Amino acid sequence: MGNMFVKMPTVSELRNAKPTIVNPSVQEPKTFFNIPLRTLVLVLLALFAIMEIVGLAQSIPYAGSNGIFWFFIAFDLFGLALDVLGFFAVYRLIPEYMIVYGWALMALLVVNVIRFITWAVLGSFVGASVTLILQVLFTFSMVGCMYSLRAYALSCRGIAI
C-alpha cells in the first residue's frame, strides 16, 4: 500500500473505503497531555470550521467591490465542506478520507497565501499575517495528526505501515 500521503487513493479505493473498527489491543495515540489524539483533532476541526466561517464573514462585505473575494467565498464554502469530510474521516477512522483531507488542506493553504497577499495589499497586513501564521500552523499540525491517526486506523485493521 505504501505511504498514502504521497499517493492519492483511487476512486475505487475511496468508494470502497469503510470505517475502521477500533481494536482494543492497539493503543490509541495520545498527546503529551495524555489527551487522545482523535478527540483533540475533532476539537481542532470544529475550531477550524469556526475560523472558516469567520473568514467567510470577512469576505462577504468586500465581494461587491472586488471580484477576487468571490474566489475566497467559494473556497471558504469548499473548505467548510472539506472540514465536514475531515471530521467524518477522523470520527469514523477512515484512512482513505484522511488522506484526501490532508491533501485538500495543503491545497487550501495555497489559497490562504493568496488571501494573505490580498489583505496585505488592502492594508490589513497585521491581521493577514496572524491569519496566515495560524493557517500554516494548523495545516502542518493537522497533516501530522492525520498521519498518526491513519497509522492507528491501519494498525486496527491489521495493516502495518
Side-chain angles (χ1 to χ4, degrees):
M1 210 169 198
N3 184 349
M4 292 176 72
F5 265 104
V6 174
K7 172 187 152 304
M8 280 290 285
T10 63
V11 174
S12 64
E13 288 174 334
L14 287 174
R15 196 175 310 131
N16 296 329
K18 294 189 178 16
T20 302
I21 298 169
V22 176
N23 186 347
S25 66
V26 177
Q27 185 177 2
E28 184 175 3
K30 298 197 182 293
T31 63
F32 49 88
F33 291 120
N34 208 21
I35 300 170
L37 185 62
R38 186 172 166 195
T39 305
L40 181 67
V41 168
L42 290 173
V43 169
L44 286 175
L45 282 170
L47 290 174
F48 191 66
I50 292 170
M51 277 180 39
E52 290 279 341
I53 292 170
V54 168
L56 184 62
Q58 286 177 334
S59 296
I60 288 176
Y62 294 99
S65 63
N66 196 337
I68 195 164
F69 287 100
W70 288 108
F71 174 75
F72 295 148
I73 290 170
F75 273 95
D76 282 338
L77 293 173
F78 182 63
L80 281 171
L82 286 172
D83 287 339
V84 171
L85 173 76
F87 193 89
F88 180 72
V90 171
Y91 184 75
R92 300 287 297 196
L93 282 177
I94 305 173
E96 294 84 3
Y97 290 176
M98 289 181 200
I99 297 161
V100 172
Y101 182 65
W103 278 105
L105 280 177
M106 297 303 267
L108 288 174
L109 184 61
V110 172
V111 173
N112 287 318
V113 169
I114 296 170
R115 179 180 294 184
F116 162 75
I117 294 168
T118 305
W119 281 110
V121 168
L122 291 176
S124 179
F125 183 75
V126 175
S129 299
V130 169
T131 303
L132 183 64
I133 289 168
L134 288 174
Q135 291 282 352
V136 168
L137 289 174
F138 175 81
T139 299
F140 288 113
S141 62
M142 190 57 68
V143 168
C145 289
M146 289 292 165
Y147 188 78
S148 209
L149 286 172
R150 181 185 138 262
Y152 170 65
L154 290 176
S155 64
C156 285
R157 288 182 179 179
I159 301 170
I161 296 179

